[in-house]
Amino acid sequence: MKFIKYIFTSLLLIIGCVNIYAATAEQVMSQAAAKARNAKGISAVFTINSSGRLINGTLKSRGNKFSLTTSTSSSWFNGKNMWTYNPSINETTVITPTKEEIMESNPLEYLKTYSSSFKSAFSKKKMTGKYVLLLTPKSKSNQVKSIEIIIDAKTYKPSKFTITSGAGTVNVINIKSLDYCSILAHSEFEYPRKKYPKAQIIDLR
């Protein structure tokens, strides 16, 4: 009887280990991406460390639309066009962004659409309760050299992006809060012209 009990306990331990370690990097990224894509509305508070310069910001996103506000600029993407307001010169530029330009503005897009441009693998780094993943580009023409993403093992939400460009520039984005259930109006993603009545509009479309 004791022997049977020992075998049963051993099997439970083995099954437990399989559940913890069986997930592949692709499975983790796929689940994290699905949660972000299927979110009703996303609200995030973050900081960006770029070459020692710390910038605070907020992000709102719904589907493929987003708005981004930092201390240096604000952007609105309505699914087709993107407006970026620079308060230092009171100027707004309008573009029809490329996929790469959208990702540069909204890092969550790296997560949501990673499979089309990046290969995923587990990083050598280990963190308790976290998955640390490394994305590398499929194409040599990609201007991004690598992206390290830290994902919570329970919620599958990202908490940190470390983006290294081909030129060696490193941008570290720490997500302080991330809500996938925000209720956001479509007007959140349109350029608020009335708010900046004297801003010069530079249309580059």
Side-chain angles (χ1 to χ4, degrees):
M1 191 70 181
K2 289 184 178 180
F3 177 76
I4 294 174
K5 185 177 180 181
Y6 171 78
I7 294 297
F8 181 72
T9 303
S10 298
L11 285 172
L12 287 178
L13 289 172
I14 292 171
I15 292 170
C17 289
V18 169
N19 287 337
I20 294 171
Y21 299 110
T24 65
E26 181 63 27
Q27 288 170 335
V28 172
M29 283 298 302
S30 180
Q31 186 159 342
K35 281 187 172 291
R37 286 195 300 268
N38 296 330
K40 184 175 182 180
I42 298 174
S43 295
V45 177
F46 62 89
T47 61
I48 302 174
N49 190 325
S50 179
S51 302
R53 184 185 183 190
L54 195 64
I55 301 172
N56 295 313
T58 58
L59 170 72
K60 295 179 180 180
S61 177
R62 179 179 175 183
N64 66 338
K65 303 176 182 181
F66 67 86
S67 61
L68 180 73
T69 303
T70 72
S71 53
T72 58
S73 66
S74 297
S75 296
W76 301 262
F77 178 60
N78 65 2
K80 180 181 179 180
N81 298 312
M82 184 163 71
W83 292 259
T84 300
Y85 174 68
N86 185 338
S88 65
I89 55 175
N90 197 29
E91 182 179 281
T92 299
T93 57
V94 191
I95 64 172
T96 301
T98 63
K99 178 181 177 181
E100 289 73 21
E101 288 171 329
I102 291 173
M103 288 181 174
E104 288 175 4
S105 300
N106 179 7
L108 282 181
E109 288 299 315
Y110 283 117
L111 173 64
K112 293 164 68 174
T113 64
Y114 80 96
S115 61
S116 62
S117 302
F118 295 90
K119 296 179 289 186
S120 60
F122 285 119
S123 169
K124 293 181 181 179
K125 296 180 182 178
K126 305 295 180 184
M127 297 179 68
T128 302
K130 308 286 185 181
Y131 291 115
V132 185
L133 297 111
L134 188 65
L135 304 186
T136 52
K138 294 178 180 179
S139 171
K140 292 182 179 179
S141 62
N142 198 313
Q143 295 183 3
V144 174
K145 181 180 179 181
S146 66
I147 304 173
E148 182 186 87
I149 305 179
I150 297 176
I151 295 174
D152 187 275
K154 290 183 178 180
T155 65
Y156 283 87
K157 291 181 179 180
S159 60
K160 185 177 181 180
F161 291 80
T162 301
I163 304 169
T164 304
S165 72
T169 303
V170 179
N171 289 320
V172 180
I173 302 166
N174 281 293
I175 301 176
K176 294 183 175 180
S177 65
L178 183 60
D179 180 7
Y180 278 178
C181 298
S182 296
I183 299 175
L184 302 171
H186 290 291
S187 58
E188 296 271 7
F189 315 112
E190 296 288 348
Y191 175 62
R193 293 180 182 273
K194 292 182 179 180
K195 188 175 180 180
Y196 309 107
K198 296 183 179 181
Q200 182 180 7
I201 307 295
I202 308 298
D203 196 331
L204 301 177
R205 291 172 291 182

